């Protein structure tokens, strides 16, 4: 069986080979990243984010995350994430709808602010498992650097426990096609869930050769469960004129 370290090397080599064949422009985090940015896409556009995540403890997650920005009195990004995951040998499928809108647009030298709300439903039982509200704030340092700060409320409905969610991230577009993202995040709650409230961190590189496609390679930890190391390979396909 392929080791975790060897898998990381092979994926890095694959992305490097692809990058040598193509060229283009970049920005935006989101996708498989835990800390969200204030911005949403243009009104009338859609995108399909997907990613595969594998952990050193054999946990696994496969996600499809389609979204579109529609006019509901103001631009609102509507998302329906589907997650097929294995944890401790058990498989589950969850559906996670989310709505997000910008309250204050971002600009260099000032904070932008958005609000998003959503939840998760167990696809097999139809039972709601999670509800949340998050305030993503973004401070643009320049055209190529920004800081993202998240705070919010997270309700684990299975154990009926409420948490304060938080996160901070840094995005640096260091070439025309490559962006580095560093982030730390977690939940703050009851002391009897110490494993769940332990802070997490991850780092990723995004390669965006054009306006349509981007690829992400992320290494770090997930927000819940055991403190295993995760590696994530993600893709994003954008459709800027879907409803125009």
């Amino acid at each position: 069986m392929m080791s975790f370290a060897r898998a990381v090397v092979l994926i890095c080599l694959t992305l490097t080979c692809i990058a040598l064949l193509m060229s283009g422009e970049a920005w935006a985090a989101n996708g498989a990243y835990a800390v969200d940015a204030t911005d949403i896409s243009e009104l009338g556009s859609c995108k399909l984010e997907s990613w595969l995540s594998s952990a050193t403890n054999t946990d696994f997650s496969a996600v499809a995350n389609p979204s579109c920005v529609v006019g509901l009195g103001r631009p609102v990004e509507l998302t329906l994430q589907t997650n097929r995951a294995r944890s401790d040998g058990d498989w589950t499928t969850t559906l996670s709808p989310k709505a997000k809108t910008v309250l204050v647009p971002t600009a260099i030298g000032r904070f932008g602010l958005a609000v998003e709300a959503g939840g998760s439903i167990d696809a097999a039982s139809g039972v709601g498992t999670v509800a949340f509200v998050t305030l993503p704030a973004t401070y643009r340092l320049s055209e190529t650097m920004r800081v993202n700060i998240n705070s919010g409320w997270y309700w684990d409905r299975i154990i009926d426990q409420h948490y304060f969610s938080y996160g901070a991230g840094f995005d640096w577009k260091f070439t025309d096609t490559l962006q580095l993202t560093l982030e730390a995040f977690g939940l703050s709650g009851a002391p009897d869930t110490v494993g769940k409230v332990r802070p997490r961190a991850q780092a990723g590189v995004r390669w965006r050769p054009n306006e349509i496609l981007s690829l992400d390679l992320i290494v770090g930890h997930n927000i819940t469960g055991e403190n295993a190391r995760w590696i994530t390979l993600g893709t994003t396909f954008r459709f800027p004129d879907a409803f125009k």
Side-chain angles (χ1 to χ4, degrees), residues 114-158:
V115 60
E116 59 187 20
S120 293
I121 302 167
D122 186 289
S125 65
V127 174
T129 58
V130 168
F132 67 88
V133 176
T134 305
L135 296 174
T138 295
Y139 187 88
R140 290 190 180 274
L141 300 168
S142 68
E143 291 289 348
T144 59
M145 294 184 184
R146 68 180 180 184
V147 175
N148 302 310
I149 300 173
N150 290 184
S151 60
W153 163 76
Y154 181 97
W155 178 23
D156 187 330
R157 299 184 62 188
I158 300 300

Side-chain angles (χ1 to χ4, degrees), residues 57 59 87 130 154 156 163 185-187 195-198 200 221-228 230:
N57 63 355
D59 286 356
S87 180
V130 168
Y154 181 97
D156 187 330
Y163 299 90
F185 49 91
L187 301 172
K196 193 164 186 171
V197 301
R198 184 182 299 118
R200 317 285 174 162
H221 303 280
N222 66 343
I223 197 167
T224 59
E226 295 185 31
N227 196 26
W230 285 77

Side-chain angles (χ1 to χ4, degrees), residues 3 34 50 56 65-66 72 96 109 118 121 138 196 202-203 205 214 223:
S3 69
S50 59
T56 50
N65 190 48
L72 299 175
S96 303
I121 302 167
T138 295
K196 193 164 186 171
Q202 61 183 13
V205 174
S214 63
I223 197 167

